[in-house]
């Protein structure tokens, strides 16, 4: 990512288990054709959770890739794994879940992280699997900047994902120390309405469903029936574009950027990568490599 101060933009990509087949094709391309991509642009982590993950949250899991395959691929390309354990409604009896504990044992490494909401789960994993780093999840919906800053000050967290509605609170962002800026992660492409009053309730509904409990939540956000539209996300007041990253956030001292999209299709994931990471003159090259390799049939 070219910019005036020479900082690198570190991206956190969605679909660790959900888009395993996509990354099997894309990661070799990213390694072998770095000329296609911005110079100061790196994949810092890929995040996600298996589809039946009790500790999961944020989005309903769709991932069905074998954990051992995922582990092998991420190690081959030296990319941090982030397990999305952001269920906010966990109770003590859920901590012994065999599958989630097996995942923790399998991926435990200082290089790998846990995206987390529940302090109950945080304490449990810190005690039993101490090698992980932790990321405070945006599903906490901390819409007061003072609350987010308190989250940054917690020593348990290596990173904290800012609520997207705070993305352009520049007066507050400028007041952060460099250490706090290094821990701040921006959700760049959120499509949810900026004024939606139900975001926390929506996340809690997902948490209930992951626990096998009923949820009667109905999203009332404008345009919710249309699903995710990247074109609409670009109109969101909190949207962060590639130019914003290069011209505003990197010069301010920020470097961590999260792309959402675990529950979307791999074709849209490719569009995100083209938009944020790929030089315009090489976007067609990347499309051709991905489409031809995957024999993509659009209809």
């Amino acid at each position: 990512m070219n910019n005036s101060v020479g900082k690198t933009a570190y991206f956190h990509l969605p679909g660790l288990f959900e888009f395993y087949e996509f990354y099997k094709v894309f990661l070799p391309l990213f390694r072998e054709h770095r000329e296609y991509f911005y110079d100061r642009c790196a994949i810092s982590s890929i995040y996600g959770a298996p589809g039946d993950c009790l500790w999961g949250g944020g989005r309903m899991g769709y991932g069905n890739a074998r954990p051992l395959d995922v582990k092998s691929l991420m190690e081959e390309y030296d990319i941090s794994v982030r397990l999305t354990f952001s269920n906010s409604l966990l109770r003590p009896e859920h901590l012994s879940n065999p599958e989630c504990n097996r995942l923790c044992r399998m991926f435990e490494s200082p290089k790998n992280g846990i995206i987390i909401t529940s302090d109950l789960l945080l304490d449990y994993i810190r005690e039993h699997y101490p090698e992980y780093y932790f990321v405070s999840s945006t599903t906490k919906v901390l819409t007061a900047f003072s609350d987010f800053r308190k989250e940054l000050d917690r020593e348990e967290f290596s990173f904290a994902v800012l609520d997207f509605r705070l993305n352009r609170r520049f007066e507050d962002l400028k007041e952060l120390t460099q250490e706090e800026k290094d821990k701040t992660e921006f959700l760049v492409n959120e499509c949810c309405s900026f004024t939606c009053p139900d975001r926390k309730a929506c996340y809690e509904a997902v948490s209930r469903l992951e626990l096998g409990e009923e949820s009667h939540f109905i999203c009332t956000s404008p345009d919710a029936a249309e699903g995710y539209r990247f074109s609409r996300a670009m109109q969101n007041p909190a949207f962060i574009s590639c130019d914003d990253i290069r011209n505003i956030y990197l010069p301010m001292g920020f470097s961590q950027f999260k792309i959402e999209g675990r529950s979307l299709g791999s074709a849209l994931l490719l569009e995100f990568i083209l938009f944020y990471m790929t030089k315009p003159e090489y976007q067609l090259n990347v499309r051709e490599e991905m489409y031809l390799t995957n024999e993509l049939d659009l209809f």
Side-chain angles (χ1 to χ4, degrees):
M1 179 74 67
N2 297 317
N3 65 86
S4 59
V5 294
K7 286 181 70 69
T8 296
Y10 294 99
F11 287 98
H12 305 274
L13 302 181
L16 180 65
F17 296 88
E18 297 87 344
F19 297 131
Y20 168 75
E21 295 296 333
F22 175 94
Y23 288 119
K24 269 199 340 183
V25 177
F26 175 72
L27 292 178
L29 177 65
F30 187 73
R31 172 183 283 177
E32 295 165 14
H33 290 281
R34 283 296 290 135
E35 74 275 14
Y36 291 172
F37 303 94
Y38 290 116
D39 296 335
R40 297 187 181 97
C41 164
I43 300 172
S44 185
S45 76
I46 301 177
Y47 66 93
D52 58 351
C53 182
L54 188 74
W55 294 352
R59 296 287 183 267
M60 286 297 293
Y62 295 86
N64 56 10
R66 294 177 63 244
L68 282 174
D69 292 338
V70 170
K71 183 175 186 288
S72 176
L73 184 66
M74 295 301 104
E75 288 177 347
E76 179 180 356
Y77 289 93
D78 194 30
I79 294 174
S80 175
V81 164
R82 285 188 177 181
L83 299 173
T84 307
F85 288 164
S86 53
N87 194 308
S88 62
L89 302 178
L90 295 173
R91 301 185 293 274
E93 61 265 29
H94 298 133
L95 300 180
S96 61
N97 179 264
E99 292 304 313
C100 294
N101 279 276
R102 182 172 67 87
L103 281 173
C104 284
R105 289 192 295 272
M106 182 180 301
F107 287 99
E108 187 179 13
S109 164
K111 182 177 181 60
N112 295 334
I114 306 284
I115 302 173
I116 201 160
T117 302
S118 165
D119 281 345
L120 175 69
L121 183 60
L122 174 66
D123 292 341
Y124 176 82
I125 296 178
R126 291 185 75 196
E127 178 182 354
H128 292 86
Y129 308 102
E131 293 191 29
Y132 285 104
Y133 70 86
F134 293 92
V135 182
S136 177
S137 175
T138 191
T139 62
K140 294 180 180 180
V141 193
L142 302 178
T143 56
F145 200 89
S146 58
D147 290 336
F148 176 72
R149 194 158 191 176
K150 290 175 184 176
E151 205 75 359
L152 290 175
D153 291 340
R154 293 179 61 175
E155 60 87 20
E156 309 98 296
F157 296 123
S158 298
F159 302 95
V161 185
L162 189 70
D163 187 274
F164 75 106
R165 287 163 287 201
L166 302 178
N167 281 356
R168 294 187 175 274
R169 292 281 291 273
F170 294 124
E171 290 303 314
D172 292 313
L173 291 168
K174 285 191 298 186
E175 293 301 315
L176 297 179
T177 66
Q178 188 57 53
E179 182 180 1
E180 291 171 326
K181 290 178 179 180
D182 291 339
K183 292 177 68 171
T184 299
E185 197 168 305
F186 293 90
L187 184 59
V188 297
N189 63 328
E190 178 57 59
C191 187
C192 185
S193 170
F194 190 85
T195 59
C196 177
D198 299 328
R199 190 167 176 82
K200 190 173 183 66
C202 179
Y203 285 137
E204 290 179 350
V206 173
S207 292
R208 288 191 181 88
L209 292 172
E210 292 285 13
L211 296 176
E213 301 172 358
E214 287 189 12
S215 173
H216 302 289
F217 174 78
I218 298 175
C219 180
T220 60
S221 179
D223 303 319
E226 294 181 9
Y228 188 95
R229 293 288 186 274
F230 194 22
S231 58
R232 193 169 72 242
M234 291 179 178
Q235 299 170 8
N236 194 305
F239 181 71
I240 297 177
S241 70
C242 189
D243 285 342
D244 291 335
I245 291 173
R246 178 170 56 244
N247 298 322
I248 299 174
Y249 292 91
L250 289 174
M252 285 181 67
F254 298 99
S255 60
Q256 306 293 327
F257 305 97
K258 180 176 182 177
I259 297 175
E260 77 163 22
R262 282 196 297 147
S263 60
L264 305 175
S266 60
L268 193 50
L269 171 60
L270 178 57
E271 292 302 313
F272 297 150
I273 288 172
L274 292 170
F275 181 83
Y276 284 106
M277 300 174 63
T278 311
K279 296 175 183 176
E281 63 268 30
Y282 290 112
Q283 289 182 1
L284 181 58
N285 300 72
V286 174
R287 279 196 181 93
E288 288 177 337
E289 291 284 347
M290 296 300 295
Y291 287 174
L292 292 176
T293 302
N294 284 303
E295 298 180 349
L296 178 66
D297 187 358
L298 292 177
F299 298 98

